[in-house]
Amino acid sequence: EVQLVESGGGLVQPGGSLRLSCAASGFTVSNNYMSWVRQAPGKGLEWVSVIYSGGSTYYADSVKGRFTISRDNSKNTLYLQMNSLRAEDTAVYYCARSDSAVAAFDYWGQGTLVTVSS
Amino acid sequence: SYLLTQPPSVSVAPGKTARITCGGNNIGSKSVHWYQQKPGQAPVLVIYYDSDRPSGIPERFSGSNSGNTATLTISRVHAGDEAVYYCQVWDSSSDQGVFGGGTKLTVL
């Protein structure tokens, strides 16, 4: 059974850093395209970043230069390192799997809440 | 960057057909995916590659995509279909994913 479990969310001050994790089971992270999608309170879904099976990475303009997506193949885990956090980064962060860049997100985690506030 | 436009809300009576649109420049040339999200839950894929249904999704859910509009159609709507529906594409010109703003489906 495919499962994605996010962790690492919490309260952080503006300008601070946080690292999110997404532990996968039932499939191999490195053989798939893994994305982060976020949702601000009461708002819609916003794509954040993707790491290709080949290792290429891409980011939304709103997080480029501040966030870094990575994976640990030995732990079958996806990460999102978030630096220089802003109030507008407050959201539930989901990890999601797809077969390719153009494919759908067929599996999602339950999400982890990040709150940026002083 | 590529923009997807959805109506904020759609209302339909039980047993009727709901149609939710997703507009984008020449969206017919892209692969469109649709997600259903209920309060407090993660999104669930309901249509992929314009018109394919994942296993477990009722045949009442269907999709189409042509020109500048993709459409999610839900037939014989019932109260359990109340949710926010999002369309999504991959914008290869910017190498970024794109979601529509979401449409809240209300069953009257």
Side-chain angles (χ1 to χ4, degrees):
Chain A
E1 179 193 8
V2 170
Q3 198 169 15
L4 294 167
V5 179
E6 301 97 335
S7 61
L11 176 63
V12 61
Q13 292 188 338
S17 298
L18 209 57
R19 189 179 80 157
L20 306 182
S21 300
C22 170
S25 58
F27 72 99
T28 302
V29 164
S30 61
N31 290 342
N32 290 270
Y33 288 58
M34 298 298 298
S35 292
W36 288 97
V37 176
R38 69 183 180 182
Q39 187 169 36
K43 302 298 184 181
L45 301 173
E46 179 186 15
W47 177 84
V48 173
S49 180
V50 64
I51 182 166
Y52 287 5
S53 55
S56 298
T57 59
Y58 299 96
Y59 300 91
D61 292 344
S62 57
V63 306
K64 202 172 297 183
R66 300 188 299 124
F67 290 11
T68 301
I69 191 171
S70 64
R71 67 190 182 207
D72 184 329
N73 296 343
S74 66
K75 296 182 178 179
N76 209 33
T77 298
L78 176 73
Y79 300 101
L80 185 67
Q81 176 67 43
M82 304 185 296
N83 298 331
S84 303
L85 283 162
R86 307 166 180 167
E88 53 265 35
D89 295 319
T90 295
V92 173
Y93 285 74
Y94 298 99
C95 62
R97 189 205 84 103
S98 60
D99 287 330
S100 70
V102 300
F105 303 123
D106 52 4
Y107 292 99
W108 297 67
Q110 85 289 349
T112 187
L113 176 62
V114 173
T115 302
V116 184
S117 175
S118 55
Chain B
S1 59
Y2 194 75
L3 185 64
L4 293 175
T5 302
Q6 297 182 237
S9 62
V10 167
S11 299
V12 63
K16 300 300 185 182
T17 298
R19 293 179 179 84
I20 299 173
T21 59
C22 176
N25 184 34
N26 197 27
I27 195 174
S29 67
K30 299 182 181 299
S31 295
V32 180
H33 315 299
W34 292 91
Y35 305 89
Q36 174 194 71
Q37 187 180 34
K38 296 182 178 180
Q41 298 182 18
V44 172
L45 179 66
V46 294
I47 292 290
Y48 64 102
Y49 287 130
D50 298 342
S51 58
D52 290 337
R53 266 180 297 104
S55 60
I57 300 300
E59 292 183 6
R60 300 184 298 104
F61 287 80
S62 62
S64 63
N65 183 21
S66 178
N68 293 319
T69 304
T71 303
L72 172 68
T73 301
I74 309 172
S75 305
R76 301 183 300 283
V77 167
H78 58 68
D81 297 328
E82 276 205 346
V84 179
Y85 292 84
Y86 296 92
C87 58
Q88 179 256 321
V89 302
W90 177 258
D91 180 21
S92 57
S93 65
S94 63
D95 287 319
Q96 295 178 339
V98 182
F99 283 95
T103 298
K104 179 173 174 54
L105 176 66
T106 299
V107 181
L108 300 171

